[in-house]
Amino acid sequence: MRKSKIYLAVVIMVITTGVCGCNFIGKWNINNTEKEEKTEVQVHRMPTEEELQILEGCNLSSDYMKQIKEEGMSLTVQSFVDTARIMLDYLEQKYGEQFVVAGGSPADMWTSDFMIFAKATTGEHKGERFECYYKLDEDAGKRYCEDGYFALVEQPVMEQYFQQVAEESGCQFKVTVSLTGEVGEKYTTDISMDELKKVIKEKDIELSVFCFAAPYLTDEEFDREVSLLEKALSDTGYRTEYCVWRLIDEDKFNYINTDSDISRAFPRGSRSDDLYNKRYDSDIN
């Protein structure tokens, strides 16, 4: 569940600090830039307009963007934008549409995989957000691209399914779902729910269920409904991470209907104390 742990951490960052997309990359790079600046061999490169567009799509802080424009990109940032361009080219060739970066993360120390979120700006998928991965085939010693088309097409299906699970369990929560992973180009959407569950398990797709409670729910009601839904989720047979927030602002509660609404509902700079006043999270195995 490591990927899903990372995703949950990102969602929590969105809700508690308003950090979304690869804004956390900016913070990671800022810390490392401070260390890099002490090393004489560190080389900075001034970004092109296209590279600036990629970084701006990551929702970096204005201070960090100013630093990049004035001092250039560190080697870490250069590596990210170069790889993001490779992934954008892959998506544009595969789907025949134009894409822009809408978030992402650098290679981590465990897998050396890169990932970006890319939004289609033209064509059939216009406005939709894809996950794209730049992965290392350790056996062949080569890198390759894959995209999360599965997550794109099945996320609404799973969201509807788990919302129904919540309602049938007696909960008033709004349910959003995140799917992370890919199954390959031969995936077909014409499958049953049982077959879908098999794909998620066999392809190690990470599934996270995020729930939002209305402000008027009392502590007792919140705890009772959390327990009811946790049991209902366990009965589905899915392995998932489960997190619930009781929001303070009813307008934000009304606004959130799907996973993509979360980052827009909680803008960068928001404090957790201003967003929610009760939270619960757990793993369902």
Side-chain angles (χ1 to χ4, degrees), residues 1-281:
M1 297 290 288
R2 184 178 63 79
K3 284 186 181 177
S4 119
K5 290 279 188 188
I6 294 172
Y7 186 88
L8 176 60
V10 172
V11 172
I12 291 172
M13 287 169 68
V14 168
I15 294 177
T16 57
T17 67
V19 177
C20 65
C22 62
N23 196 31
F24 70 96
I25 299 173
K27 292 183 179 297
W28 186 87
N29 283 332
I30 287 172
N31 294 334
N32 281 272
T33 299
E34 291 173 353
K35 296 176 183 178
E36 290 167 350
E37 287 176 347
K38 298 176 182 178
T39 305
E40 293 182 2
V41 297
Q42 175 62 28
V43 178
H44 284 67
R45 185 183 86 210
M46 298 308 294
T48 65
E49 286 299 318
E50 181 183 30
E51 289 168 338
L52 284 175
Q53 288 177 3
I54 289 174
L55 293 171
E56 286 167 354
C58 294
N59 195 33
L60 300 176
S61 71
S62 56
D63 287 343
Y64 189 51
M65 284 300 300
K66 180 180 178 183
Q67 178 183 334
I68 290 175
K69 291 175 182 178
E70 292 178 351
E71 302 177 12
M73 299 182 294
S74 67
L75 293 178
T76 302
V77 179
Q78 291 175 41
S79 178
F80 173 75
V81 296
D82 290 344
T83 306
R85 183 64 264 173
I86 292 172
M87 290 187 275
L88 289 175
D89 288 344
Y90 160 81
L91 290 171
E92 289 168 2
Q93 278 193 345
K94 180 176 179 180
Y95 294 101
E97 303 173 11
Q98 296 297 308
F99 288 83
V100 295
V101 172
S105 64
D108 63 47
M109 67 180 68
W110 297 283
T111 66
S112 296
D113 292 347
F114 288 77
M115 187 274 283
I116 62 168
F117 292 111
K119 184 171 67 174
T121 58
T122 62
E124 177 186 353
H125 299 98
K126 183 177 180 180
E128 295 179 342
R129 191 177 75 161
F130 286 62
E131 294 174 8
C132 189
Y133 305 87
Y134 189 56
K135 310 185 80 171
L136 175 65
D137 183 337
E138 295 182 356
D139 294 331
K142 296 181 179 179
R143 286 195 172 274
Y144 63 97
C145 288
E146 287 184 345
D147 66 87
Y149 183 70
F150 169 83
L152 172 71
V153 297
E154 296 299 352
Q155 187 264 347
V157 175
M158 298 305 292
E159 215 156 57
Q160 182 178 12
Y161 170 75
F162 282 105
Q163 183 66 61
Q164 183 176 347
V165 169
E167 292 171 359
E168 290 179 354
S169 72
C171 295
Q172 306 172 60
F173 301 149
K174 279 193 173 183
V175 179
T176 69
V177 169
S178 166
L179 293 170
T180 305
E182 69 287 331
V183 299
E185 295 185 11
K186 295 182 180 180
Y187 174 71
T188 172
T189 60
D190 187 22
I191 61 176
S192 68
M193 287 301 294
D194 286 340
E195 291 171 322
L196 180 57
K197 180 185 290 187
K198 184 178 179 181
V199 169
I200 290 175
K201 183 176 181 179
E202 291 182 348
K203 298 297 184 178
D204 198 27
I205 302 296
E206 301 295 346
L207 171 65
S208 300
V209 176
F210 304 120
C211 305
F212 298 89
Y216 51 76
L217 215 63
T218 66
D219 287 354
E220 293 77 11
E221 290 171 327
F222 180 91
D223 293 339
R224 181 180 66 83
E225 294 194 10
V226 160
S227 179
L228 288 172
L229 184 51
E230 186 164 5
K231 182 181 184 307
L233 290 175
S234 180
D235 290 343
T236 66
Y238 283 98
R239 185 179 65 177
T240 180
E241 286 198 334
Y242 166 49
C243 194
V244 188
W245 293 272
R246 183 176 64 190
L247 302 183
I248 294 173
D249 188 336
E250 188 169 0
D251 288 339
K252 291 190 183 296
F253 172 76
N254 292 331
Y255 178 82
I256 295 174
N257 290 294
T258 188
D259 183 63
S260 60
D261 293 333
I262 296 175
S263 61
R264 291 191 289 269
F266 305 112
R268 181 163 54 89
S270 302
R271 298 186 312 156
S272 60
D273 290 346
D274 297 329
L275 300 176
Y276 66 90
N277 52 23
K278 195 170 177 64
R279 174 184 151 202
Y280 175 85
D281 55 82

